[in-house]
Amino acid sequence: MSDLATLQQLDAQHFIHPFTDHNALADAKTRVVTRAEGIYIFEQDDKPILDGMSGLWCCNLGYGRTEINDAVFAQLNQLPFYNSFFQCTHEPAIELSQRLTALAPEHMNTVFYTNSGSEANDTMIRFVHRYWDLKEKPSKKTIISRKNGYHGSTIAGASLGGMGFMHEQFKGLDYITHIDQPYWFGEGDDMDEAEFGLKIAQQLEAKILELGVDNVAAFIAEPVQGAGGVIIPPATYWPEIQRICDNYEILLVADEVICGFGRFGTTFATQYYDIRPDFICFAKAVTNGYQPLGGILISDRVADTVKAAGDDFAHGFTYSGHPAACAAAIATLDILEKEQLVERVKDDIGPYFAEKWAALGEHPLVGQARSIGLLGAIELVSDKQTKARFPDCIAGSTCRDMCVKTGLVMRAVGDVMVVAPPLVMTHAQVDELCEKAWQALELTATKLNK
Ligand code: PXG
């Protein structure tokens, strides 16, 4: 293995990293991750770092799951690649489709495969536009999304996303528009939480009426915004969104790229919130992050319409339903079922995590500690009463650096610290995560002189 300095130098010379300030990276130097086991990653010094982010919201079963590796290896030996175009298919894609649709809500019985969450969202738009054209409502093209949502990084994914700093760097699609997010802590002022949830949901109705129902095709949202800072909507939000979509016959899209596969103690977050989307977009944890695979689960009304069209649906990727990726997904679903991890999140480790995580709210720097299943966020503030922030998101970036010192991966979204740890963690590991987070908060407070 090359020494760290050589790797860092080569990295700086040849590798442009995603979502990275390369000047800051040049000063800090890349961290080279060398191996992983259980819920820990290791760098060259070989000290364990608790991975509170499951890779990047994807390794829900943790690392070292050799069952998945073996399944991929066996599939590569049997049939490393064949396409699913031109009336061909193969067993892994067939089996996975059957398994995924059995887990999905009853009205969703078909899947289309992509290689990532971004492509899943692009694909969703292709289906939405095709559906309304086939329904002879071709003016229905606009998709309503939310500010601060994240839906990926292709042009369509980034256009659907509502992060201002991303939109500054490219020209977004003109048939996508955004309404506010249900961020009660940050934007609810003095409003009651339930009332705020209704008010924000009703922006969807107002937007539909403003644009004209004949022009609106779909509404997309993450059940809980992940990359935007683990924004858990008030309980009143989703029922009202469902009512509005039903009332105006707008297709509902649940982007479950982060929420899916057990994170909330249900297979899909759609089931947690009891909503009936036309599309569930998935990726990441479907293969435990071990192979690139994404896709969309599609409602019967949309799938039946598109299948009945009588001509080609002109959309697909070379690697749609790649056999090795499908094999990884089947092995992942096998483990989820065998180890009863969805139930474990609901009845055991989820409630335990909720209790321990909530205690971080007692720290003087924390304005709110919230969680759902195994997803958690803490809001860093300089004043707990007024919720005043430190300038320039300095608290978040400081806390992230302190987490590195304490041996914990916790992500900073501005001044919100978030975690999405593996579903397999033990009670003792939840304690360890929360203790390390507390230590990082203490170090942050000292550095910020609080
Ligand atoms: N939808 C959602 C809800 C996501 O979180 C995507 C789509 C896109 O998936 P792909 O596979 O194309 O990356 C995502 C991805 C972060 C971070 O910093 C989050 C994601 C990706 C990279 C970084 O929190 N989410």
Side-chain angles (χ1 to χ4, degrees):
M1 193 195 297
S2 302
D3 66 86
L4 183 58
T6 309
L7 288 171
Q8 286 169 331
Q9 193 198 356
L10 289 170
D11 185 82
Q13 272 170 0
H14 304 296
F15 187 5
I16 295 191
H17 293 247
F19 284 91
T20 297
D21 170 347
H22 282 78
N23 284 328
L25 180 64
D27 293 340
K29 303 256 186 319
T30 336
R31 294 166 53 200
V32 181
V33 179
T34 53
R35 67 185 186 92
E37 188 54 46
I39 68 162
Y40 299 93
I41 58 168
F42 299 82
E43 299 181 11
Q44 291 221 336
D45 62 8
D46 221 32
K47 283 200 201 116
I49 303 169
L50 195 161
D51 184 4
M53 284 304 297
S54 302
L56 196 51
W57 322 84
C58 47
C59 303
N60 282 6
L61 313 179
Y63 302 100
R65 303 308 305 235
T66 50
E67 307 94 307
I68 307 174
N69 310 351
D70 292 346
V72 171
F73 187 64
Q75 184 56 47
L76 288 173
N77 281 331
Q78 163 99 23
L79 177 73
F81 177 74
Y82 204 73
N83 69 72
S84 49
F85 291 53
F86 317 128
Q87 305 185 348
C88 291
T89 188
H90 45 72
E91 276 194 47
I94 297 169
E95 182 183 343
L96 181 61
S97 308
Q98 189 257 322
R99 294 280 296 272
L100 286 171
T101 54
L103 293 169
E106 240 172 71
H107 69 289
M108 309 188 95
N109 289 291
T110 25
V111 194
F112 190 99
Y113 294 109
T114 68
N115 308 293
S116 67
S118 302
E119 288 175 15
N121 284 319
D122 276 52
T123 295
M124 173 278 293
I125 297 180
R126 297 293 309 277
F127 269 90
V128 166
H129 284 182
R130 179 80 173 139
Y131 173 76
W132 286 120
D133 285 350
L134 290 166
K135 287 284 179 192
E136 295 180 1
K137 293 192 174 169
S139 63
K140 280 170 103 51
K141 289 284 184 289
T142 300
I143 301 184
I144 301 172
S145 183
R146 301 189 305 193
K147 292 175 192 159
N148 197 37
Y150 187 76
H151 299 292
S153 227
T154 53
I155 294 286
S159 300
L160 289 168
M163 294 185 173
F165 70 96
M166 287 179 72
H167 281 264
E168 281 165 22
Q169 297 184 7
F170 76 107
K171 180 159 170 31
L173 298 172
D174 60 8
Y175 54 80
I176 293 169
T177 185
H178 299 83
I179 58 174
D180 284 337
Q181 56 178 337
Y183 183 21
W184 182 58
F185 180 86
E187 297 170 3
D189 296 323
D190 294 330
M191 203 179 244
D192 166 74
E193 186 176 4
E195 208 183 312
F196 178 74
L198 278 181
K199 181 185 135 191
I200 297 297
Q202 283 159 4
Q203 282 191 13
L204 175 60
E205 187 157 36
K207 185 55 93 178
I208 293 167
L209 295 173
E210 176 197 320
L211 296 168
V213 68
D214 289 341
N215 297 317
V216 179
F219 171 66
I220 180 170
E222 298 155 81
V224 168
Q225 280 148 273
V230 181
I231 315 282
I232 305 171
T236 45
Y237 181 78
W238 275 112
E240 184 66 358
I241 290 287
Q242 182 71 62
R243 181 194 68 77
I244 294 165
C245 289
D246 289 347
N247 193 38
Y248 295 96
E249 286 188 70
I250 302 301
L251 298 177
L252 175 59
V253 184
D255 182 343
E256 296 225 23
V257 166
I258 281 177
C259 304
F261 303 101
R263 188 144 294 282
F264 296 179
T266 48
T267 305
F268 295 105
T270 292
Q271 292 145 339
Y272 181 93
Y273 284 115
D274 197 20
I275 50 176
R276 293 178 308 284
D278 286 282
F279 300 92
I280 290 177
C281 306
F282 65 86
K284 292 190 186 272
V286 66
T287 60
N288 203 32
Y290 286 19
Q291 291 283 298
L293 180 75
I296 54 174
L297 283 152
I298 309 163
S299 68
D300 295 341
R301 67 172 169 174
V302 172
D304 292 348
T305 304
V306 171
K307 285 204 258 180
D311 59 358
D312 274 11
F313 175 45
H315 178 68
F317 306 105
T318 300
Y319 299 123
S320 287
H322 190 287
C326 290
I330 292 165
T332 299
L333 296 181
D334 284 344
I335 297 173
L336 264 183
E337 278 168 27
K338 199 170 91 205
E339 298 182 8
Q340 301 188 326
L341 291 172
V342 178
E343 296 77 4
R344 181 166 189 271
V345 172
K346 181 164 173 282
D347 301 326
D348 174 21
I349 200 71
Y352 188 76
F353 172 76
E355 187 195 325
K356 296 286 163 175
W357 187 258
L360 295 175
E362 286 158 27
H363 195 278
L365 279 186
V366 177
Q368 187 192 49
R370 56 176 177 265
S371 73
I372 177 169
L374 276 197
L375 203 51
I378 45 180
E379 298 272 357
L380 303 185
V381 293
S382 63
D383 183 320
K384 273 169 112 76
Q385 253 54 49
T386 63
K387 302 182 188 171
R389 301 281 193 187
F390 290 92
D392 305 322
C393 297
I394 186 75
S397 54
T398 307
C399 188
R400 185 196 48 219
D401 294 347
M402 297 308 162
C403 285
V404 175
K405 284 198 180 33
T406 64
L408 171 66
V409 180
M410 181 153 69
R411 172 138 154 53
V413 181
D415 277 339
V416 189
M417 302 305 297
V418 303
V419 290
L423 314 185
V424 293
M425 70 195 314
T426 62
H427 287 213
Q429 288 170 335
V430 169
D431 294 347
E432 183 189 338
L433 185 155
C434 292
E435 277 157 24
K436 285 183 165 168
W438 185 274
Q439 276 169 28
L441 288 168
E442 289 285 273
L443 293 169
T444 305
T446 307
K447 181 104 190 261
L448 298 176
N449 283 326
K450 273 301 267 189

